[in-house]
Every structure is written in structure tokens, then in C-alpha cells.
Amino acid sequence: LPQGTADALPETAPTPAAGLSLWTLFAALGGALVGGLILNLMPCVLPVLSLKALGLAASGESREKARAHALWYTAGVLATFALVGLAVIGLRAAGQALGWGFQLQQPIFVAALAYVMVGIGLSLSGVFSIGAGVAGVGQGLTQKSGPAGDFFTGVLAVVVASPCTAPFMGTALAFAFAAPTALAIAVFLALGLGLALPFLLIGFVPAFARLLPRPGAWMDGFKQAMAFPMYLTAVWLLWVLGKQRGIDAVALALAGLTIFAMGLWLHGRNTLARRRLASAFAAALLVLGLYGLVLVARQPVPAPAGEVQAGDAVAYSAERLAALRAEGTGVFVNMTADWCVTCKANERTVLSGEAFRDALDASGTVYMKGDWTNVDPAITAFLQEHGAVGVPLYVVYPAGGGQPRVLPLVLSEGIVQEALGVAP
């Protein structure tokens, strides 16, 4: 190519905001608000929301305490969503292609989140309790009372919400991932406001607050019971880690978690003689346990299992898709990830059923599956091509050619059959 000159460059580069209408902005903000509200119903968020309910119940009939709980929780949610938005903008400016939930593609983040869940579970179980000397964070973890605990609960709610994609979120996030900085942050804050909205209503609307049970002795048992969803969440995260880095990584994480738990247990024992020595030993165990995260990060990516995946799904490749389309063959593309809860729910309820297989056979459609559990530039490019910011993404290419059709995030047998042209 000939060398260009400065005079040949446009004075201003086009931006995604060019020609942006007020209606488009309101639609993106409204979709983010509703999508954040729906996130409260997702299974990945429910364990943390149970902890928040415990904190609100502890406020009793005091409206001041209920408002304080709601405001600090909302502050934690909004601050974390703002940080996520800034991270997205920064990585985008650095030329990185990414999408919603991109941090879960990093095994060390998945393993670290498992550590957090186990630590919270042990705290709820009464194994340890950090005193007020650490800015009240330990008390917030165990009792969920006070600004630090409420703020931390909001942070954790956003972290565990990232594997989920709710309806209305897709369009809003697609807008945010391409919009200028100020508009992108506004969308992320609207998403956070939707996530925090139920607890804001409970804190500020007496009619909702009266629905909470009165505080009492039952709360201690409820707190201990809430430890078990945390342990189950850690199990799920370790399963995701196994998919990313294999069984060796899971074993290393479990060994590190065991040593880490031993350090927390030793820290929580107040009857030991020579408490300084015990505290030093506990700190050493905690550091040794955290070293498991370093070992996990060093594990190599397992070798691919092959082109044909479980359930006769063909592994995605742009070349294979182009060849099938050139032959006039219909293709159903499923872009998924092991850490995507919505993906797994659709696969369990719809895409693994007999009705789906019958629809594929009847329409002569090939089922193609792309796994975005780990970073994959080819799948990221496919997502960007169709305006998606993450998974799940379902695209149907009709037989004989024609424009592809993007299906909703939440599938039903009727939606899939109609898209494949075999609706009864």
C-alpha cells in the first residue's frame, strides 16, 4: 500500500454515538435497569441475596437501619458495576476484544472466587470471626450488619451475577460495550440500580419492609444454613475450573482450600495458649493455602477433545460454518460457556431434549457448538459480528441461504422449532 499522508486522514473519527437518538439512549438505560432487576431471580445471585435478606431482617422495625442497609448495599453494587465498566472501557481502549463475564475466562479468577465462597461459608458456619480490628469487614461477613458488611454484599452480588445474562441485558450491554465512556458507565450504573432496586424498595417503602420477619433466635440458624449455598457455589466454580484447566487444577485448588480453611479455623480458636504463635501459624497457613492459586494459574490448557462434541454437536469453526452455508445446509449455532448459568439451563431444558433432536433431523440442520469457557478470539469475533457482548448466543442459518436469525437468550422448544421451520 502507498504511504498515507496526514491530510488524507479525517478530522474526527466516527464514534458509536454518532446519530445517537434520545430514544436509543433511554432504551439502553431502561433495558439495563430491567435486566438488572431480573438478575435477582438468577440462581447464581440467590445465595448472596439470601445473606442480604438476613441483614435486612436483622434491622427489625427500625426504618433508619433498613434504609442504611439498602443504601450501603446499593453503593457496593453501583461501585462494583462502575469498576467493571471502567475495566471494559480500559481493555477496549487497549485493543482487547471481550464480553460480559470475560473475567470468568481466567482460571485464577474462578479459583479465587471459590476461595471467597468457602471463606464466607466458614464464617457463616461460625468457624472463624475477624474482629473489629480489620475495619469491621469480618463482622460484616459473619453478621452482615454495618456499612462494611452491606457494601461487601453488594460487591459480591455483582461478582456472582457475572456468569448470568438476563433478558433485556443483551441489547443494553451491546450498547455499553460500543458507546463512549460516559454513556457506557451510565448503562452499567443502570444495570446495578436494577440489581439493587428490590432492597431499596424494602429499605424505603414501609409496606415492603413489613413483609420481613421479626428478628429473633431463628436468625442464627438461618445464618448457618446460608453457608451451604456458598459451599455449593464453590463446588460449581471448581467444576468450571476443571473444564478450564483439568483435574490437576481442581486437586491443587482443593488442597489450597483445605490449608486455607485450616488457617481460618486456627485463627478462629480463642482458647489456644500462646495466641501470638497460633496467629502467626494461622497466617502462614493462609498464605500457603493462597499459593494454590498461583499453582492453578500455571496449569496448561487441556488438549481439545476433538471436533465432534457431546450430543453430536460439531465444534464451531468459521471455515466449517462457511462450508456448510456454501452447501446450502442449515446450521444452528450455540455459543456457550461452562460458567454461563443461562447457557447450561437452556442446554439442560431445551437443547438436550428429543424435541430439539427431532427438529434438527426434520429440517436437516447441523448443530454447531462453540465453547467460550476459555478465551477464544474466533468465538469473540463471531459474537461481535452478531452484536452480542457475551454468551449465550443462538444463531440459526436457514437452509438454502438467507439472513441468519438470532434467537432470544432464554429458549423454549417452541422458539427453537419455529426458528428451524418445523413448528407443529
Side-chain angles (χ1 to χ4, degrees), residues 305-315 320:
E307 185 178 355
V308 179
Q309 301 181 358
D312 297 328
V314 177
R320 184 67 182 275

Side-chain angles (χ1 to χ4, degrees), residues 279-372:
S279 297
F281 187 50
L285 288 175
L286 292 175
V287 173
L288 182 60
L290 289 173
Y291 184 67
L293 295 176
V294 178
L295 298 178
V296 165
R298 294 176 178 175
Q299 294 300 301
V301 179
E307 185 178 355
V308 179
Q309 301 181 358
D312 297 328
V314 177
Y316 169 79
S317 74
E319 295 77 12
R320 184 67 182 275
L321 176 60
L324 290 171
R325 295 197 67 192
E327 296 170 0
T329 304
V331 184
F332 184 103
V333 178
N334 169 19
M335 291 300 180
T336 182
D338 288 328
W339 41 260
C340 172
V341 178
T342 308
C343 304
K344 293 304 174 185
N346 286 330
E347 290 169 13
R348 178 62 60 90
T349 58
V350 177
L351 301 182
S352 62
E354 291 294 334
F356 177 63
R357 295 191 186 93
D358 293 342
L360 291 175
D361 293 339
S363 60
T365 301
V366 173
Y367 181 35
M368 182 171 284
K369 193 172 181 180
D371 189 355
W372 207 46

Side-chain angles (χ1 to χ4, degrees), residues 259-269 272-289:
I259 298 172
F260 185 73
M262 187 186 303
L264 293 177
W265 166 78
L266 185 58
H267 175 82
R269 296 198 62 184
L272 290 175
R274 298 183 181 179
R275 293 178 61 184
R276 288 186 179 179
L277 180 60
S279 297
F281 187 50
L285 288 175
L286 292 175
V287 173
L288 182 60

Side-chain angles (χ1 to χ4, degrees), residues 81-97:
F81 263 114
L83 286 176
V84 172
L86 290 173
V88 167
I89 292 167
L91 291 172
R92 185 182 66 188
Q96 297 292 322

Side-chain angles (χ1 to χ4, degrees), residues 32-256:
L33 183 69
V34 176
L37 187 62
I38 297 175
L39 271 180
N40 288 281
L41 304 177
M42 294 295 175
C44 48
V45 187
L46 285 176
V48 176
L49 297 188
S50 299
L51 295 180
K52 189 62 205 150
L54 176 63
L56 288 173
S59 64
E61 296 180 343
S62 170
R63 292 185 60 186
E64 290 76 12
K65 288 185 178 180
R67 285 195 292 266
H69 276 291
L71 287 174
W72 279 107
Y73 171 78
T74 302
V77 170
L78 293 180
T80 310
F81 263 114
L83 286 176
V84 172
L86 290 173
V88 167
I89 292 167
L91 291 172
R92 185 182 66 188
Q96 297 292 322
L98 42 84
W100 178 248
F102 66 93
Q103 69 275 17
L104 287 158
Q105 293 178 326
Q106 307 302 324
I108 190 170
F109 181 88
V110 174
L113 195 53
Y115 273 68
V116 171
M117 292 300 170
V118 170
I120 294 175
L122 292 174
S123 174
L124 294 170
S125 297
V127 172
F128 78 103
S129 176
I130 303 175
V134 193
V137 175
Q139 181 182 3
L141 285 176
T142 54
Q143 300 177 4
K144 294 298 163 204
S145 62
D150 294 322
F151 188 90
F152 175 82
T153 311
V155 172
L156 190 62
V158 178
V159 172
V160 299
S162 55
C164 288
T165 307
F168 299 98
M169 278 181 60
T171 302
L173 286 174
F175 176 87
F177 273 62
T181 301
L183 296 181
I185 294 298
V187 171
F188 278 103
L189 290 177
L191 189 60
L193 183 61
L195 180 61
L197 188 57
F199 293 108
L200 281 175
L201 292 176
I202 291 174
F204 284 85
V205 181
F208 286 101
R210 283 194 289 269
L211 298 176
L212 293 173
R214 293 178 181 273
W218 64 270
M219 292 175 55
D220 188 61
F222 182 73
K223 181 187 73 172
Q224 295 180 19
M226 284 301 98
F228 295 99
M230 297 299 165
Y231 298 140
L232 289 175
T233 304
V235 170
W236 166 66
L237 289 165
L238 291 174
W239 175 79
V240 173
L241 180 64
K243 291 286 188 176
Q244 292 175 322
R245 289 297 185 268
I247 192 63
D248 288 348
V250 175
L252 289 170
L254 283 172

